[in-house]
Amino acid sequence: MNDVLKTASNIGIIPVIAIENADDAVPLARALTAGGLPAAEITFRTAAGEESIRRVAKECPEVLVGAGTVLNMDQCRRALDAGARFIVSPGYNPELVDFCVKENVVVLPGCVNASDMTRAFNAGLEVVKFFPAEQSGGVGFLKALAPVIPLKFMPTGGVNTKNLMDYLSFNRIAACGGTWMVKKDLIEGHRWEEITAICKDAVKTMLGFSLAHVGVNCESEAEAEKAAKTMCALFGLEYKPGNSSIFAGGAVEYMKTPYLGRNGHIAIATNSLDRAVYHLGRQGVEFDESTRKPKAIYLKDEVAGFAIHLVQK
């Protein structure tokens, strides 16, 4: 997956925006970024679309800005000249796709049937737009086609906080496009703080942080065994011995020898390890890459003597 698609996937939610006044573009982009969504698919549905892309690309370089509702080659060239880093079209336009592939531009054509998805795959695309998502069968439709169509998808249309995780929990979803945080009345009313709050709520839903377990460092296997058996006896928990630790139920892990953290570690579960690392990294959190596993990684810093361990749900 190229860098633009990887960034979009890590962000997870791409706001899809129709801007009537280009003066609103930069404040809106900054509000989205403050809420944890430094991305914008600015559509050509309005006359201000092209200029809005140009201003965001120039003044907010940290924002992954692309052009949406691109219907023809003229709009595509104008969008790229304005600074768009990706092109999204509502349907499959062979000329548009071929041009973007040749120019090494990320293009996400709208595909809602097996024929267009097959054409997209044969054109060398990795990700396509699925629009309108809910009206076209939703995630169930994509799961039915996924075994025979080796693509990833960006569903847009009818996606909101209530069904967001129905899509993102499917590993063939690269990201979701959404409009609920960029409604017309919010933009025209300059309700930037409200937009930021909606974005933060969406990111919170997407990451889904929860306490997985607490790990306690013990000096020996005998100490770990004694502590785990005591907890199990007191509270009727299941005794679960392992190679390096013993669990008392699912909430407490006793390490047979001291591991990371002065006292032990706290494991925080997340819906997506990669997205959690990206979003926490934007807040300045650093990770110990030497501890990375396919479904786990430790933060560099301890909290109150405990190492912090992210784990994939």
Side-chain angles (χ1 to χ4, degrees):
M1 188 175 288
N2 75 21
D3 289 345
V4 169
L5 290 174
K6 185 175 181 179
T7 299
S9 180
N10 284 337
I11 294 170
I13 304 167
I14 309 299
V16 180
I17 309 162
I19 299 181
E20 299 290 345
N21 184 345
D23 289 342
D24 294 334
V26 170
L28 174 59
R30 289 173 176 161
L32 295 172
T33 301
L37 299 180
E41 178 190 324
I42 299 176
T43 70
F44 266 67
R45 282 182 281 173
T46 69
E50 180 181 354
E51 179 61 20
S52 296
I53 292 171
R54 181 173 287 106
R55 294 189 188 187
V56 172
K58 181 180 179 180
E59 299 187 42
C60 305
E62 73 281 5
V63 174
L64 181 66
V65 62
T69 322
V70 176
L71 300 174
N72 52 53
M73 287 304 304
D74 175 63
Q75 290 179 334
C76 179
R77 290 190 176 94
R78 284 161 51 201
L80 294 175
D81 287 343
R85 296 176 62 190
F86 61 92
I87 300 294
V88 183
S89 61
Y92 193 96
N93 180 328
E95 181 184 16
L96 183 68
V97 170
D98 291 346
F99 170 81
C100 289
V101 170
K102 182 179 179 181
E103 297 298 321
N104 199 29
V105 172
V106 170
V107 60
L108 293 90
C111 298
V112 292
N113 58 60
S115 296
D116 283 346
M117 292 176 187
T118 300
R119 296 174 76 185
F121 172 75
N122 288 328
L125 302 188
E126 298 177 80
V127 182
V128 298
K129 179 175 182 174
F130 181 56
F131 172 82
E134 282 293 280
Q135 295 85 344
S136 300
V139 71
F141 178 82
L142 293 178
K143 287 181 177 179
L145 278 178
V148 295
I149 308 270
L151 290 169
K152 289 195 172 187
F153 305 94
M154 187 171 79
T156 305
V159 180
N160 53 54
T161 52
K162 294 182 179 179
N163 61 12
L164 178 65
M165 290 315 302
D166 293 339
Y167 287 98
L168 289 179
S169 61
F170 181 37
N171 63 4
R172 296 287 287 277
I173 303 301
C176 285
T179 61
W180 73 92
M181 74 293 290
V182 286
K183 295 294 187 182
K184 183 177 180 180
D185 61 327
L186 296 175
I187 297 173
E188 294 184 352
H190 296 173
R191 291 152 62 182
W192 311 130
E193 291 184 1
E194 188 171 346
I195 289 171
T196 293
I198 295 171
C199 291
K200 287 182 177 180
D201 182 64
V203 171
K204 181 179 179 181
T205 297
M206 174 176 64
L207 299 181
F209 290 131
S210 62
L211 178 64
H213 64 265
V214 175
V216 180
N217 284 340
C218 296
E219 293 300 323
S220 66
E221 182 174 353
E223 182 184 348
E225 182 177 298
K226 180 179 179 181
K229 286 183 175 178
T230 298
M231 288 290 286
C232 291
L234 284 172
F235 303 109
L237 303 175
E238 183 181 356
Y239 183 80
K240 301 177 183 178
N243 292 330
S244 59
S245 66
I246 304 170
F247 270 89
V252 185
E253 179 184 19
Y254 294 95
M255 308 303 296
K256 294 180 180 179
T257 58
Y259 190 50
L260 297 180
R262 186 176 74 252
N263 300 320
H265 65 269
I266 298 172
I268 302 295
T270 179
N271 292 328
S272 171
L273 186 68
D274 289 339
R275 292 188 181 113
V277 169
Y278 171 82
H279 283 276
L280 289 173
R282 288 188 67 249
Q283 299 175 36
V285 175
E286 295 184 284
F287 292 86
D288 183 350
E289 289 295 333
S290 69
T291 68
R292 183 185 282 273
K293 297 179 181 179
K295 293 186 177 182
I297 191 170
Y298 278 86
L299 278 63
K300 278 190 175 181
D301 294 333
E302 296 181 7
V303 175
F306 283 87
I308 305 298
H309 184 204
L310 286 184
V311 294
Q312 175 78 47
K313 288 183 181 178

